[in-house]
Amino acid sequence: EPDAREKLNAMALGYPGVDGSAALRAAIAARYEGFSADDVIATTGLDDALAALSLSLIAPGDRVIVQTPAYQTYLTVPQWRGAEVVEWQAREENGWLPDLDELEALLKRPARWLMINFPNNPTGVMPDETYFEQLLEIVRASGTLLISDEIYAGLPASEAFFVPLCCRYERAVSLHSVSKTLGVPGLRIGWIVCRDEETRRRIKELRFHFNSFIGAPSEFLGTLALCHEEKILARNSAILADNTEVANGFFARHDNLFGWTPPDAGVNAWPQWRGPGDTRALSDAMLQDAKLLIAHSALFLGGDRNLRLGLGCLGFDTALGRFDDFLQKSYR
């Protein structure tokens, strides 16, 4: 960016704009057809967004439905608010794709919201268009607020174009961030996008009493990253492709210990453990013996036979080499 250094040096360090600068929110809105900067609330990462949603929209006794396996915060923050949290549980026999008939049955009782996450963390599952159409038909018929965490959408860059669900359902809230696909989590920039003015008002009113500001240097760098998103996604997709190839070879060598399917989209893989014991014990042993950290499936309410493997990091081949050494030593 030719003039980026000069702009950064000239930056004022007073209070930045509430809920994100106009430039940042405009760059975010440009990713969503038919949306403007006024439809965007920028947050300090997605954890801030998830907390703001729960605090502003959930009351004690409310019922919320959450797709699982899941990032723990989806369940724990509504529980902390006193909500009844109901799992919409995906199962291995269905390829970890949650069943739509089960969702329809769950929505026969009123729910404050349905929380979904595709591409999914931790399983790497990404439904096809027919599935999304049926899901939206079910949710629209119930009138339920849909919270769609789309933080991993965009990788690999060659995947079929994903239309954010806020663009397809008037009661959908889409969440995203620069942390995963753009690979800059240290900037702590996430966002909430929705059409419903009352939902945005309640979130903004809540955040006014906590933290409605993002640091100005982070806003500047986040806006810059979004303006060059296509180039960054191409770079990160190449890293993902290289790491997936390495993982394919690794799991082919250890097919007696693992079942392996690369992710449909995003960067998270969900290999099945076929060895002795559960994956909690395996994860603990790897950390102790190989100083290697891999999250086990119980952390995501996903049973005890899977591991979450992240394919988006530089140095992945080195870490997998340590994993290989551990397996050779422990499971000959």
Side-chain angles (χ1 to χ4, degrees):
E1 190 76 11
D3 57 353
R5 181 183 298 273
E6 291 75 16
K7 287 181 177 178
L8 187 62
N9 287 338
M11 180 183 298
L13 294 180
Y15 283 110
V18 174
D19 296 315
S21 69
L24 174 61
R25 289 184 290 109
I28 293 168
R31 307 170 83 259
Y32 300 86
E33 186 175 355
F35 285 76
S36 71
D38 291 337
D39 301 316
V40 175
I41 300 171
T43 60
T44 48
L46 269 202
D47 286 326
D48 176 26
L50 292 168
L53 286 164
S54 292
L55 288 169
S56 59
L57 301 180
I58 291 177
D62 282 346
R63 181 171 178 266
V64 299
I65 300 170
V66 178
Q67 171 195 349
T68 55
Y71 180 53
Q72 291 167 310
T73 304
Y74 298 166
L75 298 100
T76 54
V77 178
Q79 286 170 342
W80 176 79
R81 284 289 288 155
E84 175 195 358
V85 177
V86 179
E87 295 178 40
W88 179 32
Q89 179 70 55
R91 298 178 180 84
E92 183 179 5
E93 58 266 28
N94 295 330
W96 295 108
L97 194 64
D99 185 89
L100 292 173
D101 290 337
E102 292 181 14
L103 175 62
E104 192 166 21
L106 289 172
L107 287 174
K108 289 189 182 301
R109 283 183 56 204
R112 176 65 64 185
W113 74 37
L114 166 66
M115 166 71 74
I116 65 171
N117 168 221
F118 295 115
N120 183 248
N121 169 28
T123 67
V125 165
M126 183 66 166
D128 60 19
E129 176 60 22
T130 299
Y131 184 95
F132 278 119
E133 288 177 355
Q134 293 173 351
L135 184 150
L136 290 172
E137 182 179 344
I138 292 168
V139 176
R140 185 175 282 110
S142 71
T144 305
L145 182 69
L146 177 64
I147 311 295
S148 175
D149 183 349
E150 300 160 4
I151 194 170
Y152 288 100
L155 284 180
S158 60
E159 72 175 82
F161 182 68
F162 171 69
V163 179
L165 297 191
C166 66
C167 299
R168 305 178 60 172
Y169 173 46
E170 60 278 4
R171 298 212 68 217
V173 177
S174 286
L175 310 177
H176 213 304
S177 165
V178 301
S179 295
K180 308 300 184 184
T181 55
L182 296 185
V184 282
L187 295 183
R188 308 310 305 136
I189 292 177
W191 56 85
I192 299 167
V193 182
C194 69
R195 294 192 188 279
D196 186 69
E197 187 176 347
E198 174 62 15
T199 298
R200 296 197 308 271
R201 184 196 65 77
R202 292 176 65 176
I203 296 168
K204 289 180 179 181
E205 189 174 88
L206 180 280
R207 294 186 77 245
F208 178 78
H209 298 287
F210 290 89
N211 172 42
S212 56
F213 300 104
I214 300 171
S218 283
E219 286 191 334
F220 175 79
L221 293 171
T223 304
L224 198 61
L226 286 167
C227 289
H228 295 275
E229 182 175 23
E230 184 175 343
K231 183 175 181 179
I232 297 172
L233 289 178
R235 169 204 181 259
N236 292 346
S237 293
I239 295 170
L240 174 61
D242 289 345
N243 289 344
T244 301
E245 184 176 351
V246 171
N248 288 340
F250 172 89
F251 287 108
R253 293 193 302 276
H254 296 287
D255 59 357
N256 61 316
L257 292 174
F258 293 97
W260 168 246
T261 303
D264 297 330
V267 299
N268 294 304
W270 193 236
Q272 179 198 49
W273 174 240
R274 295 172 175 169
D278 60 29
T279 49
R280 183 192 297 270
L282 176 64
S283 179
D284 289 346
M286 281 193 289
L287 184 59
Q288 178 68 33
D289 298 345
K291 300 296 183 286
L292 189 64
L293 182 64
I294 299 182
H296 58 83
S297 47
L299 294 171
F300 304 93
L301 298 180
D304 60 6
R305 302 300 298 172
N306 292 80
L307 295 168
R308 186 186 71 170
L309 195 67
L311 301 173
C313 294
L314 294 171
F316 176 80
D317 54 344
T318 301
L320 210 58
R322 291 168 65 180
F323 195 4
D324 207 334
D325 292 342
F326 169 82
L327 293 173
Q328 295 286 355
K329 182 179 71 173
S330 304
Y331 299 96
R332 289 180 179 176

